[in-house]
mmCIF file of all heavy atoms in Angstrom:
data_model
loop_
_atom_site.group_PDB
_atom_site.id
_atom_site.type_symbol
_atom_site.label_atom_id
_atom_site.label_comp_id
_atom_site.label_asym_id
_atom_site.label_seq_id
_atom_site.Cartn_x
_atom_site.Cartn_y
_atom_site.Cartn_z
ATOM 1 N N ARG A 12 133.356 228.588 37.800
ATOM 2 C CA ARG A 12 131.975 229.054 37.953
ATOM 3 C C ARG A 12 131.138 228.174 38.870
ATOM 4 O O ARG A 12 130.204 228.653 39.510
ATOM 5 C CB ARG A 12 131.311 229.137 36.576
ATOM 6 C CG ARG A 12 131.986 230.110 35.631
ATOM 7 C CD ARG A 12 131.456 229.951 34.224
ATOM 8 N NE ARG A 12 130.032 230.206 34.148
ATOM 9 C CZ ARG A 12 129.274 229.816 33.129
ATOM 10 N NH1 ARG A 12 129.810 229.123 32.133
ATOM 11 N NH2 ARG A 12 127.992 230.090 33.111
ATOM 12 N N TYR A 13 131.448 226.869 38.901
ATOM 13 C CA TYR A 13 130.622 225.942 39.661
ATOM 14 C C TYR A 13 131.461 225.154 40.659
ATOM 15 O O TYR A 13 132.658 224.954 40.461
ATOM 16 C CB TYR A 13 129.911 224.955 38.723
ATOM 17 C CG TYR A 13 128.974 225.611 37.741
ATOM 18 C CD1 TYR A 13 129.216 225.547 36.375
ATOM 19 C CD2 TYR A 13 127.835 226.286 38.178
ATOM 20 C CE1 TYR A 13 128.359 226.153 35.468
ATOM 21 C CE2 TYR A 13 126.974 226.890 37.279
ATOM 22 C CZ TYR A 13 127.238 226.817 35.928
ATOM 23 O OH TYR A 13 126.382 227.414 35.037
ATOM 24 N N CYS A 14 130.798 224.678 41.690
ATOM 25 C CA CYS A 14 131.451 223.862 42.706
ATOM 26 C C CYS A 14 130.445 222.860 43.258
ATOM 27 O O CYS A 14 129.253 222.897 42.929
ATOM 28 C CB CYS A 14 132.009 224.731 43.841
ATOM 29 S SG CYS A 14 130.710 225.531 44.838
ATOM 30 N N VAL A 15 130.928 221.962 44.093
ATOM 31 C CA VAL A 15 130.065 221.038 44.828
ATOM 32 C C VAL A 15 130.054 221.489 46.273
ATOM 33 O O VAL A 15 131.123 221.638 46.890
ATOM 34 C CB VAL A 15 130.575 219.586 44.723
ATOM 35 C CG1 VAL A 15 129.658 218.657 45.515
ATOM 36 C CG2 VAL A 15 130.647 219.154 43.274
ATOM 37 N N ALA A 16 128.879 221.731 46.808
ATOM 38 C CA ALA A 16 128.755 222.186 48.195
ATOM 39 C C ALA A 16 128.379 221.005 49.075
ATOM 40 O O ALA A 16 127.466 220.239 48.756
ATOM 41 C CB ALA A 16 127.695 223.280 48.312
ATOM 42 N N SER A 17 129.082 220.826 50.172
ATOM 43 C CA SER A 17 128.773 219.759 51.124
ATOM 44 C C SER A 17 128.824 220.322 52.529
ATOM 45 O O SER A 17 129.566 221.264 52.812
ATOM 46 C CB SER A 17 129.763 218.592 50.980
ATOM 47 O OG SER A 17 131.084 219.029 51.262
ATOM 48 N N SER A 18 128.036 219.737 53.405
ATOM 49 C CA SER A 18 127.951 220.227 54.789
ATOM 50 C C SER A 18 129.093 219.665 55.624
ATOM 51 O O SER A 18 129.461 218.498 55.508
ATOM 52 C CB SER A 18 126.613 219.817 55.418
ATOM 53 O OG SER A 18 125.541 220.391 54.699
ATOM 54 N N ASN A 19 129.646 220.524 56.456
ATOM 55 C CA ASN A 19 130.665 220.112 57.416
ATOM 56 C C ASN A 19 129.962 219.743 58.715
ATOM 57 O O ASN A 19 129.371 220.594 59.383
ATOM 58 C CB ASN A 19 131.669 221.243 57.640
ATOM 59 C CG ASN A 19 132.858 220.817 58.478
ATOM 60 O OD1 ASN A 19 132.722 220.042 59.418
ATOM 61 N ND2 ASN A 19 134.028 221.332 58.141
ATOM 62 N N SER A 20 130.000 218.463 59.071
ATOM 63 C CA SER A 20 129.251 217.983 60.241
ATOM 64 C C SER A 20 129.732 218.604 61.547
ATOM 65 O O SER A 20 128.973 218.747 62.501
ATOM 66 C CB SER A 20 129.347 216.448 60.335
ATOM 67 O OG SER A 20 130.703 216.046 60.382
ATOM 68 N N SER A 21 130.985 219.002 61.610
ATOM 69 C CA SER A 21 131.524 219.537 62.863
ATOM 70 C C SER A 21 131.179 221.010 63.062
ATOM 71 O O SER A 21 130.991 221.465 64.182
ATOM 72 C CB SER A 21 133.048 219.353 62.889
ATOM 73 O OG SER A 21 133.654 220.035 61.806
ATOM 74 N N SER A 22 131.073 221.756 61.969
ATOM 75 C CA SER A 22 130.819 223.191 62.097
ATOM 76 C C SER A 22 129.483 223.633 61.513
ATOM 77 O O SER A 22 129.098 224.793 61.644
ATOM 78 C CB SER A 22 131.937 223.970 61.397
ATOM 79 O OG SER A 22 131.950 223.700 60.011
ATOM 80 N N ASN A 23 128.771 222.705 60.842
ATOM 81 C CA ASN A 23 127.489 223.017 60.187
ATOM 82 C C ASN A 23 127.645 224.038 59.072
ATOM 83 O O ASN A 23 126.658 224.661 58.667
ATOM 84 C CB ASN A 23 126.454 223.516 61.210
ATOM 85 C CG ASN A 23 126.040 222.434 62.187
ATOM 86 O OD1 ASN A 23 125.946 221.261 61.821
ATOM 87 N ND2 ASN A 23 125.791 222.824 63.424
ATOM 88 N N ASP A 24 128.860 224.250 58.633
ATOM 89 C CA ASP A 24 129.098 225.144 57.510
ATOM 90 C C ASP A 24 129.210 224.337 56.217
ATOM 91 O O ASP A 24 129.467 223.131 56.230
ATOM 92 C CB ASP A 24 130.388 225.941 57.724
ATOM 93 C CG ASP A 24 130.282 226.900 58.889
ATOM 94 O OD1 ASP A 24 129.155 227.373 59.153
ATOM 95 O OD2 ASP A 24 131.309 227.163 59.543
ATOM 96 N N GLU A 25 129.006 225.022 55.094
ATOM 97 C CA GLU A 25 129.142 224.358 53.802
ATOM 98 C C GLU A 25 130.563 224.509 53.282
ATOM 99 O O GLU A 25 131.154 225.590 53.376
ATOM 100 C CB GLU A 25 128.153 224.934 52.788
ATOM 101 C CG GLU A 25 126.727 224.458 52.980
ATOM 102 C CD GLU A 25 125.867 224.732 51.755
ATOM 103 O OE1 GLU A 25 126.261 225.604 50.946
ATOM 104 O OE2 GLU A 25 124.813 224.095 51.604
ATOM 105 N N GLU A 26 131.085 223.417 52.762
ATOM 106 C CA GLU A 26 132.409 223.428 52.179
ATOM 107 C C GLU A 26 132.297 223.321 50.656
ATOM 108 O O GLU A 26 131.399 222.666 50.134
ATOM 109 C CB GLU A 26 133.242 222.265 52.722
ATOM 110 C CG GLU A 26 133.534 222.346 54.212
ATOM 111 C CD GLU A 26 134.378 221.175 54.680
ATOM 112 O OE1 GLU A 26 134.435 220.162 53.946
ATOM 113 O OE2 GLU A 26 134.986 221.278 55.756
ATOM 114 N N GLU A 27 133.224 223.970 49.964
ATOM 115 C CA GLU A 27 133.247 223.915 48.514
ATOM 116 C C GLU A 27 134.267 222.888 48.033
ATOM 117 O O GLU A 27 135.370 222.799 48.569
ATOM 118 C CB GLU A 27 133.606 225.285 47.915
ATOM 119 C CG GLU A 27 132.502 226.300 47.978
ATOM 120 C CD GLU A 27 132.823 227.537 47.145
ATOM 121 O OE1 GLU A 27 133.885 227.545 46.478
ATOM 122 O OE2 GLU A 27 132.028 228.491 47.168
ATOM 123 N N HIS A 28 133.860 222.110 47.046
ATOM 124 C CA HIS A 28 134.758 221.156 46.412
ATOM 125 C C HIS A 28 134.679 221.339 44.904
ATOM 126 O O HIS A 28 133.654 221.754 44.360
ATOM 127 C CB HIS A 28 134.379 219.713 46.781
ATOM 128 C CG HIS A 28 134.368 219.442 48.253
ATOM 129 N ND1 HIS A 28 135.522 219.176 48.961
ATOM 130 C CD2 HIS A 28 133.351 219.423 49.152
ATOM 131 C CE1 HIS A 28 135.213 218.989 50.231
ATOM 132 N NE2 HIS A 28 133.912 219.138 50.373
ATOM 133 N N ASP A 29 135.776 221.039 44.230
ATOM 134 C CA ASP A 29 135.798 221.161 42.778
ATOM 135 C C ASP A 29 134.944 220.080 42.133
ATOM 136 O O ASP A 29 134.848 218.953 42.634
ATOM 137 C CB ASP A 29 137.232 221.046 42.249
ATOM 138 C CG ASP A 29 138.097 222.220 42.671
ATOM 139 O OD1 ASP A 29 137.537 223.309 42.940
ATOM 140 O OD2 ASP A 29 139.332 222.051 42.739
ATOM 141 N N LEU A 30 134.318 220.433 41.015
ATOM 142 C CA LEU A 30 133.621 219.433 40.216
ATOM 143 C C LEU A 30 134.638 218.486 39.588
ATOM 144 O O LEU A 30 135.786 218.854 39.329
ATOM 145 C CB LEU A 30 132.824 220.094 39.089
ATOM 146 C CG LEU A 30 131.675 221.030 39.451
ATOM 147 C CD1 LEU A 30 131.060 221.584 38.167
ATOM 148 C CD2 LEU A 30 130.627 220.324 40.271
ATOM 149 N N ILE A 31 134.213 217.257 39.351
ATOM 150 C CA ILE A 31 135.006 216.324 38.555
ATOM 151 C C ILE A 31 134.579 216.508 37.106
ATOM 152 O O ILE A 31 133.431 216.240 36.751
ATOM 153 C CB ILE A 31 134.791 214.874 39.014
ATOM 154 C CG1 ILE A 31 135.263 214.699 40.459
ATOM 155 C CG2 ILE A 31 135.516 213.899 38.087
ATOM 156 C CD1 ILE A 31 134.969 213.330 41.030
ATOM 157 N N LEU A 32 135.479 217.007 36.279
ATOM 158 C CA LEU A 32 135.180 217.323 34.883
ATOM 159 C C LEU A 32 135.966 216.383 33.983
ATOM 160 O O LEU A 32 137.195 216.353 34.035
ATOM 161 C CB LEU A 32 135.547 218.781 34.579
ATOM 162 C CG LEU A 32 134.901 219.838 35.494
ATOM 163 C CD1 LEU A 32 135.490 221.211 35.200
ATOM 164 C CD2 LEU A 32 133.393 219.847 35.325
ATOM 165 N N LEU A 33 135.262 215.626 33.165
ATOM 166 C CA LEU A 33 135.916 214.638 32.310
ATOM 167 C C LEU A 33 135.399 214.740 30.882
ATOM 168 O O LEU A 33 134.196 214.905 30.650
ATOM 169 C CB LEU A 33 135.653 213.220 32.826
ATOM 170 C CG LEU A 33 136.115 212.893 34.252
ATOM 171 C CD1 LEU A 33 135.609 211.519 34.661
ATOM 172 C CD2 LEU A 33 137.627 212.975 34.351
ATOM 173 N N ALA A 34 136.311 214.640 29.929
ATOM 174 C CA ALA A 34 135.962 214.515 28.516
ATOM 175 C C ALA A 34 136.459 213.151 28.055
ATOM 176 O O ALA A 34 137.638 212.831 28.221
ATOM 177 C CB ALA A 34 136.604 215.628 27.688
ATOM 178 N N VAL A 35 135.574 212.349 27.502
ATOM 179 C CA VAL A 35 135.887 210.954 27.168
ATOM 180 C C VAL A 35 135.636 210.708 25.694
ATOM 181 O O VAL A 35 134.543 210.981 25.187
ATOM 182 C CB VAL A 35 135.039 209.985 28.018
ATOM 183 C CG1 VAL A 35 135.347 208.540 27.636
ATOM 184 C CG2 VAL A 35 135.287 210.216 29.499
ATOM 185 N N ALA A 36 136.651 210.191 25.011
ATOM 186 C CA ALA A 36 136.530 209.890 23.582
ATOM 187 C C ALA A 36 135.951 208.498 23.364
ATOM 188 O O ALA A 36 136.099 207.601 24.209
ATOM 189 C CB ALA A 36 137.897 209.982 22.906
ATOM 190 N N ASP A 37 135.279 208.308 22.238
ATOM 191 C CA ASP A 37 134.835 206.969 21.862
ATOM 192 C C ASP A 37 136.057 206.056 21.742
ATOM 193 O O ASP A 37 137.133 206.497 21.336
ATOM 194 C CB ASP A 37 134.095 207.007 20.529
ATOM 195 C CG ASP A 37 132.680 207.582 20.670
ATOM 196 O OD1 ASP A 37 132.222 207.729 21.811
ATOM 197 O OD2 ASP A 37 132.050 207.875 19.636
ATOM 198 N N PRO A 38 135.912 204.772 22.105
ATOM 199 C CA PRO A 38 137.082 203.881 22.166
ATOM 200 C C PRO A 38 137.677 203.555 20.806
ATOM 201 O O PRO A 38 136.956 203.411 19.817
ATOM 202 C CB PRO A 38 136.517 202.619 22.832
ATOM 203 C CG PRO A 38 135.055 202.642 22.511
ATOM 204 C CD PRO A 38 134.670 204.097 22.500
ATOM 205 N N ARG A 39 139.010 203.496 20.762
ATOM 206 C CA ARG A 39 139.769 203.035 19.592
ATOM 207 C C ARG A 39 139.468 203.830 18.322
ATOM 208 O O ARG A 39 139.577 203.325 17.213
ATOM 209 C CB ARG A 39 139.498 201.545 19.341
ATOM 210 C CG ARG A 39 139.860 200.655 20.520
ATOM 211 C CD ARG A 39 139.540 199.212 20.247
ATOM 212 N NE ARG A 39 139.822 198.377 21.424
ATOM 213 C CZ ARG A 39 139.569 197.075 21.466
ATOM 214 N NH1 ARG A 39 139.043 196.461 20.418
ATOM 215 N NH2 ARG A 39 139.844 196.399 22.563
ATOM 216 N N GLY A 40 139.072 205.079 18.503
ATOM 217 C CA GLY A 40 138.828 205.933 17.349
ATOM 218 C C GLY A 40 137.608 205.561 16.543
ATOM 219 O O GLY A 40 137.448 206.014 15.406
ATOM 220 N N LYS A 41 136.718 204.745 17.095
ATOM 221 C CA LYS A 41 135.521 204.300 16.391
ATOM 222 C C LYS A 41 134.282 204.943 17.001
ATOM 223 O O LYS A 41 134.163 205.057 18.215
ATOM 224 C CB LYS A 41 135.381 202.770 16.464
ATOM 225 C CG LYS A 41 136.588 202.001 15.951
ATOM 226 C CD LYS A 41 136.766 202.196 14.449
ATOM 227 C CE LYS A 41 137.914 201.332 13.930
ATOM 228 N NZ LYS A 41 138.124 201.510 12.473
ATOM 229 N N ARG A 42 133.358 205.368 16.147
ATOM 230 C CA ARG A 42 132.112 205.938 16.627
ATOM 231 C C ARG A 42 131.213 204.816 17.140
ATOM 232 O O ARG A 42 130.955 203.845 16.432
ATOM 233 C CB ARG A 42 131.419 206.703 15.504
ATOM 234 C CG ARG A 42 132.262 207.813 14.888
ATOM 235 C CD ARG A 42 132.609 208.876 15.922
ATOM 236 N NE ARG A 42 131.451 209.598 16.365
ATOM 237 C CZ ARG A 42 130.968 210.671 15.752
ATOM 238 N NH1 ARG A 42 131.583 211.149 14.678
ATOM 239 N NH2 ARG A 42 129.899 211.284 16.198
ATOM 240 N N VAL A 43 130.731 204.927 18.365
ATOM 241 C CA VAL A 43 129.956 203.855 18.975
ATOM 242 C C VAL A 43 128.524 204.267 19.299
ATOM 243 O O VAL A 43 127.792 203.524 19.950
ATOM 244 C CB VAL A 43 130.652 203.340 20.250
ATOM 245 C CG1 VAL A 43 131.960 202.664 19.899
ATOM 246 C CG2 VAL A 43 130.875 204.461 21.260
ATOM 247 N N GLY A 44 128.118 205.453 18.847
ATOM 248 C CA GLY A 44 126.751 205.887 19.066
ATOM 249 C C GLY A 44 126.501 206.378 20.489
ATOM 250 O O GLY A 44 127.363 206.305 21.362
ATOM 251 N N SER A 45 125.274 206.854 20.725
ATOM 252 C CA SER A 45 124.946 207.409 22.048
ATOM 253 C C SER A 45 124.949 206.340 23.126
ATOM 254 O O SER A 45 125.441 206.569 24.234
ATOM 255 C CB SER A 45 123.576 208.094 21.993
ATOM 256 O OG SER A 45 123.590 209.183 21.098
ATOM 257 N N GLY A 46 124.399 205.154 22.814
ATOM 258 C CA GLY A 46 124.359 204.087 23.809
ATOM 259 C C GLY A 46 125.745 203.602 24.177
ATOM 260 O O GLY A 46 126.095 203.494 25.354
ATOM 261 N N GLY A 47 126.561 203.325 23.155
ATOM 262 C CA GLY A 47 127.927 202.879 23.410
ATOM 263 C C GLY A 47 128.760 203.950 24.077
ATOM 264 O O GLY A 47 129.576 203.665 24.960
ATOM 265 N N GLY A 48 128.546 205.211 23.652
ATOM 266 C CA GLY A 48 129.273 206.319 24.267
ATOM 267 C C GLY A 48 128.927 206.494 25.726
ATOM 268 O O GLY A 48 129.783 206.824 26.555
ATOM 269 N N THR A 49 127.651 206.264 26.078
ATOM 270 C CA THR A 49 127.222 206.367 27.475
ATOM 271 C C THR A 49 127.911 205.318 28.337
ATOM 272 O O THR A 49 128.462 205.626 29.406
ATOM 273 C CB THR A 49 125.694 206.205 27.575
ATOM 274 O OG1 THR A 49 125.056 207.275 26.859
ATOM 275 C CG2 THR A 49 125.242 206.238 29.031
ATOM 276 N N LEU A 50 127.907 204.060 27.878
ATOM 277 C CA LEU A 50 128.536 202.984 28.648
ATOM 278 C C LEU A 50 130.042 203.197 28.761
ATOM 279 O O LEU A 50 130.633 202.981 29.828
ATOM 280 C CB LEU A 50 128.243 201.638 27.984
ATOM 281 C CG LEU A 50 126.766 201.216 27.954
ATOM 282 C CD1 LEU A 50 126.606 199.897 27.200
ATOM 283 C CD2 LEU A 50 126.206 201.093 29.366
ATOM 284 N N ASN A 51 130.658 203.632 27.665
ATOM 285 C CA ASN A 51 132.100 203.869 27.686
ATOM 286 C C ASN A 51 132.464 204.996 28.658
ATOM 287 O O ASN A 51 133.432 204.888 29.427
ATOM 288 C CB ASN A 51 132.578 204.225 26.273
ATOM 289 C CG ASN A 51 134.060 204.510 26.209
ATOM 290 O OD1 ASN A 51 134.892 203.661 26.524
ATOM 291 N ND2 ASN A 51 134.408 205.721 25.787
ATOM 292 N N ALA A 52 131.682 206.072 28.643
ATOM 293 C CA ALA A 52 131.952 207.197 29.545
ATOM 294 C C ALA A 52 131.737 206.804 31.001
ATOM 295 O O ALA A 52 132.499 207.212 31.892
ATOM 296 C CB ALA A 52 131.069 208.386 29.173
ATOM 297 N N LEU A 53 130.706 206.011 31.273
ATOM 298 C CA LEU A 53 130.467 205.558 32.646
ATOM 299 C C LEU A 53 131.628 204.703 33.149
ATOM 300 O O LEU A 53 132.018 204.795 34.320
ATOM 301 C CB LEU A 53 129.164 204.765 32.723
ATOM 302 C CG LEU A 53 127.868 205.576 32.792
ATOM 303 C CD1 LEU A 53 126.665 204.648 32.792
ATOM 304 C CD2 LEU A 53 127.848 206.474 34.023
#
């Protein structure tokens, strides 16, 4: 459904690229909260 659009400098046309889609679990099976989950996912 979604893509990343970027300009082609040589043709001035837009190119489509796939999104980077990632699902990341909290580390070591432990709940680390929103703050810890944010840092871990980053």
Side-chain angles (χ1 to χ4, degrees):
R12 299 169 61 197
Y13 298 116
C14 68
V15 179
S17 62
S18 299
N19 188 323
S20 56
S21 60
S22 63
N23 293 325
D24 294 330
E25 284 196 340
E26 295 181 342
E27 286 191 3
H28 303 279
D29 293 335
L30 296 179
I31 297 175
L32 305 173
L33 301 172
V35 179
D37 285 348
R39 301 178 183 177
K41 304 293 184 181
R42 303 298 293 273
V43 293
S45 297
T49 297
L50 296 177
N51 179 60
L53 280 177

